[in-house]
Amino acid sequence: MNKYLFNDDWSVRPKVSGFVDLMGGAASQKVTLPHDAMIGFTRSSDVPGGPSSAFFPGGEVEYTKRFDVPVEWRERRVTIEFEGVYRDAMVYVNGEFAGQWKYGYSVFRVSLDAHLRYGQENVVRVEARANQDSRWYTGLGIYRDVHLVVTPLAHIVDDEIRITTPDVDDERAVVESAILVRNESVVTRRLSLEVEVRDDTGAIVARDRGPVTIRPNATTTIRNRLYVDAPQRWGVDHPHLYDFRARLRDEESDDAHDVNTSFGIRTIRIDPRHGLRINDEPIKLRGACIHHDNGPLGAATIRRAEERRIELLKAAGFNAIRSSHCPASPAMLDACDRLGVLVFDETFDAWAEMNKPYDYTLDFPEWWERDVDAMIKKDFNHPSVILYCIGNEIHEYGSGFGGSLARDIAERIRLSDETRFITTAVSSFWAVAGEVIDDLKNRLADATARGVNDVMNEMTEFFDEVTVSDVVTVRTAEAHAAADIAGLNYAEARYAPDAVVFPNRVVLGTETNPRVTAQSWADTVAHDHVIGGFTWTGWDYLGEVGLGRTDYTDDPEVRGGGDPDFPWLTAWAGDLDITGFRRPQSYYREIVYGLRREPFIAVLRPQHYGRRRLEMQWAWSDAVASWTWELPGGARAEVEVYSDADEVELVLNGRSLGRSATGPAADFRARFDVGYEPGELVAIAYRDGIPSERTSLVTASDRVLVASADRSRIQADPGDLAYISIEFRDGRDVLNSSEDALVHVSVDGPGELVALGSARPATEDRFDSTSCTTFDGRALAIVRPTGEGQITVTVRSPGLADAHAAVAVGEM
């Protein structure tokens, strides 16, 4: 295969005008891609993006790379492929404009041939810009992988191979391939094409070969129909992958072009009676909405970061992800293929009605078709991808124009891919906002005088009323009809009535609220036509800060609400925080899903005991799984125990504090008011009156600094990473979360510290620093390999012995 990673030896600097550059310009920094320039910017309270951008400023940057081009490439075609540049990418080669791409999430290619200097050093330069163009943190720059593609003049168009499995049973599977071949020479070429399918052991299970005659400057499609005996199906429990290999050979010169791609054999079906079936087995989607940032790494889409996210999300009970609200990276799709996680890939967050002053709406009319095509091309051979979404909370969904445009986008998708299903992500409120907004304002004005919780309750009641209203039913019918599945944001109230009004409609909860997890999942399971739900959100993210926060006050006059102030950093709404640590709501969800029988103990932060809690709409209980607190004598704490059992008993240092009902009837949650004392807090589940599972929290006896790596060995590849957990524990390995402190990290050996931080949702710590303050006793360091050998990470904290973690770097 003639496709090479092109990530090394780049430099980046702020973009300035040519005149300013002549006067000195700005210094360059050497970087290895993927790279996010914005994460290194200085946050402040007065940046234009404000809370939505996590108080990061926008900016303009340019990346430069020098590379040699051999003379023999005159008889080759040379293309550069960007998996994602945020945003408004402009590409120059040797000072000449070569191409551009507006959207920040599309894979795109730029031909270099017309600008190359053969036998000399060449320079590629990429400009990118980001500024008030998104509702969340976007990052800035070349934040996904880059490849150089060098092919013969007669070659396979490697990103146009399409593999389908239209006919599958236990005896055999039909594997159809469509391979685009292009001849850019001036003579007719007589070639041969060999194709083969290999299983996960490398054994050839199907193959074919045939002649290909192609005229000068022509493109043709070669189709093959192969048969795989006793196929191994791809699914979430057994994600079997096959390798498809194609070789285009010139029999006269023996020149060959090889292309490989993985694929899976699986079937997907939907209907209102059986819901979603994969390989004829019904499945409900336990989905996580996720944004594209990787926490302390910013938007940098390093392959191991994407893989780790999918590993941790699946371990937390999710079987599907939604790429909200933009197309997922190829690295994430690769991880989902390997690990068995289903993907709901999304196009846009807006069409023609803006969310931010300089967002994609300015480019949508001229670019949406190219961006839809790019998403389909990227996704086509990934078995994990089962759904495409045409847009999230689009304002036009409730209009006739929006219904027409929904059909246009859906048909554009079907033009390229009829093997997957299409959905919407409709907000009932935004679809009819023009008709109901005045009524909402009047009701909120009355509620504001009573406080933020009343405001939230009033909004919830109002949204529920709007959601099931006839105006929403009528106004959104055309947009939903354009898709195969009606995607509903926060609209579980529509599940039952839609089954009656639209008996042919299949429904998906495209966003659900963590505060109503139990009821939302019960509604999903109870209705055959509902195929699943996606929580907002599975993984915490940068930007849209504080939408899941809890504020505290002793003042009965404080109303709360609104956007939080700087230095808030994250949304604080994820089941997993930005470092990948599971929060209590994640274990609650796992219990609701029926995947965990042990009870889970969560302690509301006792320093706020008795204070008014002002909980935002996406807030879970502000709780921590810890029984180590620095509290005065006589202090009390509120304790929640999550369980699917009939009852739970809470026991403190051997004394029973009573039993309380749990399970579905009690929303899977029992609450206790407890006088705090150090020791052991135990929760015992009772089923049919008999004690069954138990769990406990123990007070940490001392405080030791500990550093541990997620893996003892990693590859000598900049696409790999070592994740170093930094924690305060005692001699019994109990986490000590009672006191946070500054930690300093240094790296020796063939590696570099690329990020350091905690999950603290409001902080002025920088992720590109060598020091940070822990949060609830934890922090995370991320190290990137620079060669082979052993990396030693040393962590220091005042008054404590140093901690060390060792990671071997080499062949796996």
Side-chain angles (χ1 to χ4, degrees):
M1 186 172 179
N2 306 102
K3 184 175 180 179
Y4 315 96
L5 270 176
F6 207 53
N7 288 341
D8 296 335
D9 301 321
W10 289 78
S11 62
V12 63
R13 65 173 185 168
K15 172 61 182 174
V16 295
S17 70
F19 178 78
V20 174
D21 198 24
L22 286 173
M23 302 301 292
S28 295
Q29 172 192 357
K30 295 292 185 182
V31 295
T32 298
L33 305 180
H35 174 259
D36 176 10
M38 186 179 287
I39 203 68
F41 290 174
T42 298
R43 302 167 64 226
S44 68
S45 60
D46 57 356
V47 300
S52 62
S53 67
F55 299 101
F56 279 93
E60 305 78 35
V61 292
E62 65 176 20
Y63 292 79
T64 303
K65 179 180 173 69
R66 298 178 180 275
F67 64 108
D68 293 326
V69 175
V71 173
E72 54 266 29
W73 282 9
R74 288 185 187 274
E75 299 302 317
R76 293 288 188 268
R77 293 282 77 90
V78 183
T79 304
I80 190 169
E81 177 187 80
F82 298 93
E83 292 186 356
V85 179
Y86 203 89
R87 180 176 185 266
D88 292 319
M90 301 286 286
V91 182
Y92 301 84
V93 179
N94 296 322
E96 298 175 345
F97 173 72
Q100 70 174 143
W101 203 275
K102 304 292 287 184
Y103 199 31
Y105 304 102
S106 290
V107 179
F108 66 97
R109 290 186 171 188
V110 175
S111 174
L112 306 186
D113 298 312
H115 312 284
L116 293 179
R117 298 168 182 167
Y118 300 99
Q120 301 180 45
E121 183 181 74
N122 288 249
V123 180
V124 59
R125 175 166 54 90
V126 181
E127 297 177 1
R129 300 160 180 82
N131 184 45
Q132 294 193 74
D133 50 25
S134 177
R135 295 187 297 122
W136 56 86
Y137 175 87
T138 62
L140 167 64
I142 310 177
Y143 71 101
R144 292 179 179 173
D145 283 334
V146 178
H147 295 89
L148 194 68
V149 184
V150 183
T151 67
L153 296 181
H155 58 272
I156 297 168
V157 183
D158 65 286
D159 61 344
E160 290 282 4
I161 292 180
R162 303 207 164 189
I163 303 166
T164 56
T165 56
D167 186 356
V168 181
D169 58 33
D170 292 338
E171 179 185 355
R172 57 91 184 101
V174 176
V175 177
E176 293 186 349
S177 63
I179 300 173
L180 202 66
V181 174
R182 182 169 295 144
N183 178 17
E184 297 191 64
S185 67
V186 296
V187 298
T188 297
R189 305 293 292 274
R190 292 171 177 81
L191 313 166
S192 67
L193 181 68
E194 304 168 5
V195 296
E196 62 185 32
V197 174
R198 296 178 181 245
D199 64 17
D200 55 7
T201 71
I204 297 174
V205 296
R207 68 192 317 170
D208 198 7
R209 178 177 178 174
V212 177
T213 302
I214 181 168
R215 294 184 297 276
N217 297 309
T219 300
T220 188
T221 299
I222 313 300
R223 298 184 183 273
N224 294 89
R225 187 176 172 91
L226 304 175
Y227 301 88
V228 174
D229 292 332
Q232 297 186 84
R233 311 284 186 96
W234 186 95
V236 295
D237 296 323
H238 304 285
H240 296 292
L241 291 173
Y242 288 87
D243 185 29
F244 182 87
R245 305 185 182 188
R247 165 168 284 195
L248 187 66
R249 183 191 297 274
D250 187 322
E251 301 295 347
E252 296 179 1
S253 66
D254 204 33
D255 196 6
H257 183 209
D258 297 303
V259 177
N260 296 0
T261 187
S262 61
F263 73 100
I265 295 173
R266 57 114 177 92
T267 60
I268 54 175
R269 302 164 67 186
I270 58 166
D271 64 68
R273 181 176 177 184
H274 300 97
L276 171 66
R277 285 179 286 178
I278 297 179
N279 300 322
D280 295 324
E281 293 292 330
I283 185 172
K284 294 282 188 178
L285 298 179
R286 305 189 302 269
C289 294
I290 58 174
H291 271 314
H292 74 291
D293 74 78
N294 274 305
L297 292 169
T301 308
I302 300 171
R303 280 167 282 152
R304 172 57 187 161
E306 300 288 77
E307 179 182 64
R308 176 177 178 265
R309 266 210 291 176
I310 298 304
E311 287 174 350
L312 294 176
L313 286 165
K314 187 167 187 180
F318 295 110
N319 63 12
I321 59 140
R322 175 190 179 200
S323 65
S324 44
H325 305 293
C326 57
S329 72
M332 178 160 283
L333 299 186
D334 288 341
C336 290
D337 288 347
R338 291 192 305 270
L339 298 170
V341 171
L342 300 167
V343 176
F344 162 178
D345 211 5
E346 193 155 83
T347 51
F348 314 115
D349 189 48
W351 291 348
E353 292 287 340
M354 78 168 193
N355 290 315
K356 289 292 181 178
Y358 304 110
D359 65 15
Y360 183 71
T361 56
L362 297 174
D363 304 308
F364 177 83
E366 294 188 14
W367 280 85
W368 73 262
E369 291 174 309
R370 282 172 280 188
D371 288 312
V372 166
D373 293 348
M375 183 182 73
I376 305 305
K377 185 186 296 186
K378 167 181 65 73
D379 290 2
F380 196 91
N381 294 329
H382 289 281
S384 57
V385 180
I386 62 169
L387 295 173
Y388 297 125
C389 180
I390 60 178
N392 172 68
E393 295 188 345
I394 302 299
H395 297 273
E396 298 96 316
Y397 270 147
S399 69
F401 169 75
S404 174
L405 192 48
R407 280 196 306 277
D408 289 345
I409 298 173
E411 289 308 308
R412 185 75 185 191
I413 293 173
R414 293 184 179 109
L415 186 67
S416 299
D417 189 354
E418 292 186 327
T419 70
R420 294 175 172 89
F421 299 113
I422 298 170
T423 188
T424 51
V426 172
S427 163
S428 298
F429 173 78
W430 286 116
V432 297
E435 296 184 30
V436 302
I437 192 68
D438 289 339
D439 188 19
L440 174 61
K441 288 179 179 178
N442 291 335
R443 290 173 62 164
L444 291 185
D446 294 337
T448 298
R450 301 192 299 272
V452 66
N453 291 338
D454 289 312
V455 169
M456 293 301 169
N457 290 335
E458 191 68 47
M459 289 181 65
T460 299
E461 290 180 13
F462 184 81
F463 287 162
D464 287 346
E465 293 171 13
V466 171
T467 294
V468 297
S469 65
D470 290 340
V471 64
V472 169
T473 303
V474 172
R475 291 274 296 275
T476 63
E478 188 172 10
H480 282 314
D484 306 301
I485 298 165
L488 304 176
N489 285 5
Y490 311 106
E492 292 91 335
R494 292 203 67 93
Y495 291 175
D498 274 11
V500 176
V501 178
F502 303 100
N504 297 315
R505 179 175 285 184
V506 177
V507 168
L508 174 63
T510 40
E511 282 182 32
T512 64
N513 195 308
R515 295 170 69 88
V516 295
T517 294
Q519 186 59 53
S520 176
W521 187 246
D523 291 340
T524 299
V525 172
H527 294 96
D528 293 334
H529 70 294
V530 180
I531 66 172
F534 287 78
T535 186
W536 194 269
T537 178
W539 193 286
D540 199 22
Y541 59 98
L542 307 177
E544 289 191 303
V545 299
L547 62 84
R549 75 190 189 277
T550 299
D551 291 334
Y552 296 92
T553 181
D554 296 318
D555 186 347
E557 301 301 318
V558 171
R559 302 306 174 201
D563 291 325
D565 295 328
F566 179 82
W568 267 86
L569 176 68
T570 75
W572 199 233
D575 276 26
L576 281 71
D577 66 33
I578 60 168
T579 69
F581 182 73
R582 292 178 67 181
R583 300 173 64 202
Q585 68 193 62
S586 172
Y587 294 94
Y588 176 84
R589 185 182 308 280
E590 190 178 20
I591 289 167
V592 170
Y593 283 160
L595 302 176
R596 176 189 172 98
R597 289 177 62 84
E598 294 81 7
F600 186 85
I601 306 172
V603 181
L604 276 66
R605 298 180 187 274
Q607 63 267 36
H608 299 299
Y609 180 86
R611 304 182 70 193
R612 286 180 63 211
R613 289 195 295 265
L614 308 179
E615 295 177 334
M616 299 303 106
Q617 188 172 355
W618 283 268
W620 185 253
S621 300
D622 187 18
V624 184
S626 175
W627 197 239
T628 305
W629 304 94
E630 296 292 335
L631 298 171
R636 302 193 67 79
E638 295 177 73
V639 177
E640 297 183 334
V641 181
Y642 313 142
S643 175
D644 67 343
D646 305 321
E647 291 181 304
V648 291
E649 181 182 18
L650 198 63
V651 178
L652 176 59
N653 294 329
R655 304 188 314 274
S656 176
L657 303 180
R659 294 191 196 180
S660 183
T662 52
D667 207 29
F668 299 92
R669 177 159 47 182
R671 294 177 172 86
F672 298 85
D673 192 301
V674 179
Y676 179 75
E677 62 182 60
E680 183 180 34
L681 187 67
V682 180
I684 305 169
Y686 284 80
R687 303 178 191 275
D688 297 324
I690 301 172
S692 52
E693 304 80 17
R694 65 174 59 204
T695 192
S696 66
L697 295 177
V698 178
T699 305
S701 57
D702 56 6
R703 195 160 172 265
V704 178
L705 184 62
V706 177
S708 56
D710 64 330
R711 294 172 298 155
S712 61
R713 176 176 288 272
I714 64 175
Q715 297 180 44
D717 176 349
D720 206 351
L721 296 167
Y723 282 82
I724 312 298
S725 296
I726 301 167
E727 298 174 323
F728 297 116
R729 291 187 172 271
D730 71 3
R732 299 167 298 169
D733 202 34
V734 175
L735 180 72
N736 189 329
S737 61
S738 65
E739 183 180 348
D740 287 306
L742 187 71
V743 294
H744 176 82
V745 176
S746 59
V747 178
D748 295 307
E752 61 177 343
L753 181 68
V754 291
L756 172 67
S758 74
R760 189 180 299 276
T763 179
E764 293 190 60
D765 285 352
R766 296 177 62 100
F767 292 129
D768 59 356
S769 174
T770 57
S771 300
C772 78
T773 301
T774 59
F775 177 63
D776 289 338
R778 291 185 171 88
L780 182 73
I782 306 175
V783 177
R784 197 174 198 176
T786 58
E788 294 189 352
Q790 179 165 298
I791 296 172
T792 301
V793 178
T794 301
V795 186
R796 298 180 173 89
S797 188
L800 297 175
D802 294 352
H804 304 278
V807 179
V809 185
E811 296 297 325
M812 297 290 281

